[in-house]
Amino acid sequence: MGGVKMIDRSAKVLTGTLLSAWLGFCSASEATAQTILTNADFEQGTYIIDTPGLYELGEDISFNPHPVGSPGDGGIGTLDAYDAGRPFPSQFGVYDPSAFGIGFFAAIAVAADDVTIDLKGYTIEQSAEHALHQRFFAVIETADRPFVPNQGPHDFGASITAANRLTITNGTIGRSSHHGIHGNNNVGVTISNIDFVDYEVAAIHLNKVTKLNVKNCTGMNREDVPVLGTFSNARFISAYVDCLVDTASATTLTVGGVALSATDIQTALRDSITNVYEDVITDGLGIIDESEHPDEFALFHNREGVVDGNAYGFAINGFGVAVNGFPESSAVESKNIKFKNVHVLSQKAWVNEVIALSNGSGGAANDPIGAVLSVRNVHPDTGAPVTMSTVSDDASATYTGNVVANAQALVAKAELAGDFASCFLDVSRQSITQEIIDWIENEDTLADLLAGPTDEICNGDTMFHVQKGVIGFKLDGGNKVKLSKTSVSNLDNLGGMGSEVCGNYVKSHPAATLEGYGGARVRGYSVSGSTKVTLKRPVVTGLAALNGSVYGIDVLTDSSKVTVAKGNASTLDAGAEFVPNLGPNETPDAYGLLIGADTKKVKQKKFTSSDLIAVGETATVKEM
């Protein structure tokens, strides 16, 4: 992205507009020492910082490149909801197609050392429209791509360029369909005086970070999320369906005796995505209109308005993704971490279990993006089946399909037939088997496909991430971690109990590290696989899990040398809606401080608690 000479930015908006029109993108290469960023700099997509310097906001930023109704690639036509919000094919000459292959993943991507981003009291956020289009996003990414090599829902390339000596300060980081700030492999990061609001997954999430200093920050996640993760699946799988249409693939998928072509499935996807956009954005409802679009409501509607997966306030992790279970100390990669005067003000999630079909090799039957082929999903209000003929009897349940599952199955069948040889898209993650395709097309029953409980995998979400619940501060894989003057309040997990489908398992998901179902729990602070951790006067209040246990502070796996210096946990409510079933659910407990059996040298000084309510046991300090 380097080598493009920038004009003196003193002209601000005029310069950004002219340069965007000329290049079709914005780069900071050869920028002056001080660069003022305005909305004009984001019109064509992610602003990539690849030169050291000071970058300041000149106004509030609402990230919304290529919106609905704007000109298409090369000025041809206008964009509809199906095509809007994405990089144009012509931009892949300047945006790395491996990094941006699944969309504009950030408003700002920092790929240079010695950068300061001063928000100057302004707000930078993903627009409501783009947050619907692009369901994986960080307002600021601290590298040139969001994943290290060989990880993530796409082939993001063989290398990653991460920022070192990065400062982000003074303002508000707003709406994001995933993260406020996200990154990998950074050294020397300071984040200060930032209010994080309306993120869905985490305010800050940094993997393998060294010398992190976070101070004077608050976090409060989004509570007007209109869609479930299945809408993200629809958006991402559409590129694969498009490729089949563009290459005139002859592969069809037979559903209920009707052969559906790639064009048929593309049309259905386009109509469905357009209908959701019409309700949420065009009509300004903020939700899907059930009376106007009942099929979309059944498949995509988010009844609770909060993220339907794991949710964290502030998270550190070792090398790579944090989507598996809680790590052990062998994963220690983040070092010299400090949080001071940092507060999680509100964190809510409806952690929704998505049961996966087994692929016969120990993993889930996933599409190329890694999304689960979900067949047990139900209507959010009535509980009626969405993908099968019934959910009450596997012996009579047959596949009826929906726009997402049909697209996933067609792409799987086409991949097995070799139809993607001429596409640039990565299909290596596709694991829906021929047996599953045959089951769909032959109209066999679910009982015909499933020999027993191990033919399905539980304790995961729509992207097959291990369920871990809601956590305020998630401190994984850290060495020399110190928190002072921090607090967590108003954490709520609205999710249900784990399903009975996989039986009363010890572990079902292959990447899980804890026993039982993990999605119903709430933790104010979790310390996992970490060493030399000090929590100085942590305050936890107002934590609730409708169907799981609540822990003010949870020190787990083989964490060692952990000190909780004083601190208090109050108003912990565990299991208000809990009713025992035959699944892998513990009786909900409420503990101020839980110390795991495999931990070492965990000390607490004068830790107190009050107002602990649980179906099961309550205790100020519990040592396993």
Side-chain angles (χ1 to χ4, degrees):
M1 295 290 294
V4 180
K5 185 174 180 61
M6 296 291 286
I7 303 169
D8 186 341
R9 297 305 301 274
S10 61
K12 296 185 181 180
V13 175
L14 177 60
T15 296
T17 302
L18 291 174
L19 192 63
S20 295
W22 177 51
L23 290 177
F25 75 105
C26 293
S27 171
S29 182
E30 299 186 22
T32 55
Q34 182 182 19
T35 301
I36 308 298
L37 300 178
T38 68
N39 280 284
D41 294 298
F42 299 88
E43 288 178 355
Q44 299 301 320
T46 301
Y47 189 96
I48 299 175
I49 295 177
D50 59 6
T51 299
L54 171 63
Y55 297 80
E56 298 180 342
L57 295 192
E59 60 183 348
D60 290 334
I61 304 296
S62 182
F63 186 77
N64 194 23
H66 308 329
V68 171
S70 64
D73 199 1
I76 300 173
T78 57
L79 296 173
D80 63 10
Y82 184 78
D83 294 314
R86 300 171 175 172
F88 291 145
S90 64
Q91 290 182 289
F92 286 139
V94 290
Y95 283 117
D96 183 343
S98 61
F100 291 88
I102 63 170
F104 292 117
F105 58 82
I108 297 175
V110 187
D113 296 340
D114 301 304
V115 168
T116 295
I117 301 173
D118 188 344
L119 305 185
K120 301 296 288 185
Y122 292 113
T123 295
I124 180 170
E125 65 178 2
Q126 190 180 24
S127 71
E129 176 177 337
H130 197 260
L132 183 64
H133 293 320
Q134 180 69 23
R135 300 299 299 151
F136 177 80
F137 188 82
V139 175
I140 299 176
E141 185 71 33
T142 63
D144 67 338
R145 62 203 65 220
F147 290 94
V148 299
N150 302 314
Q151 291 191 354
H154 164 78
D155 182 0
F156 284 91
S159 63
I160 183 171
T161 301
N164 300 313
R165 299 179 298 281
L166 170 65
T167 296
I168 303 170
T169 188
N170 189 27
T172 300
I173 292 180
R175 185 191 297 108
S176 171
S177 59
H178 255 63
H179 303 104
I181 298 173
H182 177 268
N184 293 276
N185 294 12
N186 305 107
V187 178
V189 178
T190 298
I191 302 169
S192 65
N193 302 310
I194 300 289
D195 291 322
F196 294 89
V197 297
D198 290 339
Y199 57 88
E200 293 185 27
V201 177
I204 298 173
H205 192 150
L206 296 176
N207 303 307
K208 193 183 178 183
V209 59
T210 300
K211 296 182 181 178
L212 170 66
N213 188 5
V214 182
K215 55 186 178 181
N216 305 329
C217 293
T218 63
M220 183 164 51
N221 77 338
R222 188 179 179 192
E223 296 185 29
D224 62 348
V225 182
V227 291
L228 299 177
T230 45
F231 190 75
S232 174
N233 304 159
R235 292 288 299 177
F236 288 141
I237 198 65
S238 64
Y240 291 81
V241 176
D242 293 347
C243 181
L244 295 178
V245 172
D246 293 343
T247 56
S249 168
T251 298
T252 62
L253 179 74
T254 300
V255 179
V258 177
L260 302 175
S261 68
T263 299
D264 294 331
I265 288 176
Q266 183 192 56
T267 299
L269 267 176
R270 183 183 296 275
D271 290 345
S272 186
I273 289 170
T274 299
N275 289 341
V276 172
Y277 179 87
E278 176 185 318
D279 291 341
V280 175
I281 304 298
T282 303
D283 294 343
L285 300 179
I287 60 172
I288 302 169
D289 187 331
E290 183 177 14
S291 62
E292 290 290 328
H293 302 121
D295 292 341
E296 287 77 15
F297 185 92
L299 183 58
F300 302 129
H301 174 62
N302 186 329
R303 75 180 188 211
E304 302 294 348
V306 292
V307 65
D308 58 321
N310 300 317
Y312 317 127
F314 299 91
I316 63 164
N317 185 52
F319 179 77
V321 294
V323 301
N324 298 322
F326 290 96
E328 296 185 342
S329 59
S330 58
V332 168
E333 295 280 357
S334 289
K335 301 177 181 178
N336 299 321
I337 310 298
K338 293 182 180 179
F339 289 87
K340 183 176 182 180
N341 194 29
V342 178
H343 308 280
V344 180
L345 303 180
S346 178
Q347 187 81 25
K348 296 179 173 63
W350 173 43
V351 181
N352 183 31
E353 184 178 27
V354 177
I355 299 164
L357 298 172
S358 172
N359 63 18
S361 300
N366 293 340
D367 70 16
I369 296 295
V372 170
L373 174 65
S374 176
V375 300
R376 291 192 181 273
N377 47 344
V378 297
H379 190 285
D381 292 340
T382 67
V386 171
T387 312
M388 304 295 295
S389 60
T390 180
V391 291
S392 60
D393 180 15
D394 289 358
S396 62
T398 58
Y399 179 91
T400 55
N402 60 65
V403 293
V404 175
N406 290 349
Q408 292 173 306
L410 175 72
V411 167
K413 185 178 180 182
E415 186 275 327
L416 291 167
D419 290 2
F420 285 94
S422 60
C423 290
F424 75 91
L425 296 167
D426 177 20
V427 293
S428 63
R429 291 159 182 77
Q430 200 296 112
S431 59
I432 298 170
T433 63
Q434 186 63 53
E435 180 186 13
I436 293 172
I437 301 301
D438 292 343
W439 165 72
I440 290 172
E441 297 197 310
N442 294 338
E443 300 182 69
D444 293 331
T445 70
L446 192 55
D448 292 329
L449 180 67
L450 306 174
T454 58
D455 285 340
E456 293 180 280
I457 302 174
C458 295
N459 199 25
D461 65 12
T462 188
M463 290 298 292
F464 202 54
H465 301 163
V466 175
Q467 300 284 41
K468 296 178 285 291
V470 179
I471 305 173
F473 286 87
K474 187 171 185 286
L475 310 173
D476 290 352
N479 181 7
K480 297 182 180 178
V481 181
K482 183 177 181 180
L483 278 67
S484 58
K485 296 183 180 179
T486 62
S487 69
V488 176
S489 57
N490 303 312
L491 267 59
D492 290 286
N493 189 339
L494 309 177
M497 295 188 298
S499 172
E500 301 173 302
V501 165
C502 298
N504 186 10
Y505 55 80
V506 176
K507 294 179 183 178
S508 177
H509 196 297
T513 50
L514 303 184
E515 296 181 358
Y517 177 64
R521 299 166 183 155
V522 168
R523 297 170 171 89
Y525 298 75
S526 69
V527 180
S528 177
S530 295
T531 186
K532 299 179 183 177
V533 179
T534 299
L535 307 181
K536 186 177 180 180
R537 295 183 182 274
V539 176
V540 181
T541 184
L543 276 55
L546 294 183
N547 290 285
S549 294
V550 176
Y551 315 125
I553 300 172
D554 189 8
V555 184
L556 64 159
T557 64
D558 61 347
S559 292
S560 63
K561 300 179 181 178
V562 179
T563 298
V564 180
K566 299 184 179 180
N568 173 263
S570 64
T571 318
L572 310 185
D573 190 349
E577 295 185 358
F578 178 80
V579 177
N581 65 7
L582 299 178
N585 305 284
E586 81 272 7
T587 300
D589 300 315
Y591 301 132
L593 170 61
L594 178 63
I595 302 172
D598 296 327
T599 61
K600 299 177 182 178
K601 298 182 179 179
V602 179
K603 301 178 182 179
Q604 64 87 16
K605 302 175 182 178
K606 299 181 180 179
F607 187 84
T608 62
S609 68
S610 59
D611 297 323
L612 308 185
I613 303 170
V615 176
E617 185 179 39
T618 63
T620 295
V621 179
K622 175 71 174 183
E623 297 188 34
M624 303 299 287

